[in-house]
Amino acid sequence: MGPVGILCIRRTLSKGRWHGFVSGLGAVLSDVAYASVTSLFMGLVVNFVETYMQWIELFGTAVLGIFGIYLISNNPVKSLKKNRETKNTYFQDFVTAFLLTLSNALIVLLYIGMFAHFSFVLPSWWEIAKGLIGIALGAVLWWFVITYLVSRLRRWFNIRRIHLLNRALGAVILLLVVAQICYSFFFKSS
């Protein structure tokens, strides 16, 4: 479960199922955009990622670090009160999730590996369209199921459990950030 998953769960709990689902749709659009770029410009994307890998990793790591700090320091009581007083629009939820997902350019590597594994390197336009529709439908179904389950289990969550969940998830994210930094500076061969 990445930062966008955590964001969708939090929005489902604090604002309702459809705010979480619309946030998931923002992530879907970002995923489909990256899959489109990867499938259409496989060689260019590979060269770009290889050339700017350190900057892409640094940017993604910084975004994750900020998100982890936000989770740890966030008070769910204030957050829930604020969400009740000023609800973001569905559009704002969509855009913020889209931008958070877009900040993880490393997903291109997942698509490159997946496309290579399924021999999807030089597909026809029809195959590209089918592949992108499949990615989009699978992701929409994923967010629909996740937000449904979280909304059904909502009564299990209380302020104390949400606060503990925030701190635990924030700590895990910060540990991953530290691990990424250590890997990038100490174990990665140039």
Side-chain angles (χ1 to χ4, degrees):
M1 183 70 66
V4 177
I6 295 166
L7 180 71
C8 291
I9 288 172
R10 287 184 44 148
R11 285 184 177 164
T12 300
L13 291 172
S14 63
K15 298 178 182 181
R17 178 176 181 209
W18 296 113
H19 281 275
F21 181 67
V22 168
S23 298
L25 293 179
V28 170
L29 180 61
S30 177
D31 288 344
V32 170
Y34 275 131
S36 300
V37 168
T38 304
S39 64
L40 295 173
F41 305 104
M42 189 80 139
L44 178 64
V45 169
V46 170
N47 290 335
F48 177 81
V49 169
E50 286 176 353
T51 303
Y52 297 104
M53 178 58 86
Q54 288 181 316
W55 290 106
I56 293 169
E57 285 178 355
L58 181 64
F59 178 72
T61 302
V63 169
L64 284 177
I66 291 167
F67 187 70
I69 291 168
Y70 169 77
L71 280 177
I72 288 174
S73 63
N74 187 32
N75 183 346
V77 175
K78 289 180 183 176
S79 179
L80 289 173
K81 184 178 178 184
K82 181 182 172 187
N83 286 335
R84 287 187 185 125
E85 291 172 358
T86 59
K87 256 191 174 178
N88 285 353
T89 65
Y90 290 121
F91 181 74
Q92 289 169 323
D93 289 339
F94 180 88
V95 169
T96 56
F98 171 76
L99 293 174
L100 181 61
T101 307
L102 198 62
S103 73
N104 183 14
L106 295 177
I107 193 148
V108 169
L109 298 176
L110 172 71
Y111 286 125
I112 290 171
M114 186 175 68
F115 291 168
H117 178 75
F118 291 107
S119 301
F120 198 66
V121 177
L122 294 172
S124 68
W125 289 103
W126 174 242
E127 289 172 331
I128 290 172
K130 286 191 314 186
L132 295 177
I133 290 169
I135 288 169
L137 290 177
V140 168
L141 180 62
W142 166 258
W143 292 118
F144 186 82
V145 169
I146 290 296
T147 56
Y148 173 78
L149 291 174
V150 169
S151 68
R152 298 296 289 174
L153 298 172
R154 178 184 225 145
R155 65 180 166 269
W156 181 83
F157 292 95
N158 59 28
I159 298 297
R160 184 174 182 276
R161 287 182 178 156
I162 292 173
H163 191 60
L164 290 172
L165 179 66
N166 281 353
R167 288 184 175 226
L169 292 173
V172 168
I173 289 172
L174 288 177
L175 285 173
L176 292 173
V177 166
V178 169
Q180 177 62 39
I181 290 170
C182 290
Y183 173 75
S184 294
F185 287 109
F186 301 115
F187 299 109
K188 193 174 185 180
S189 59
S190 299

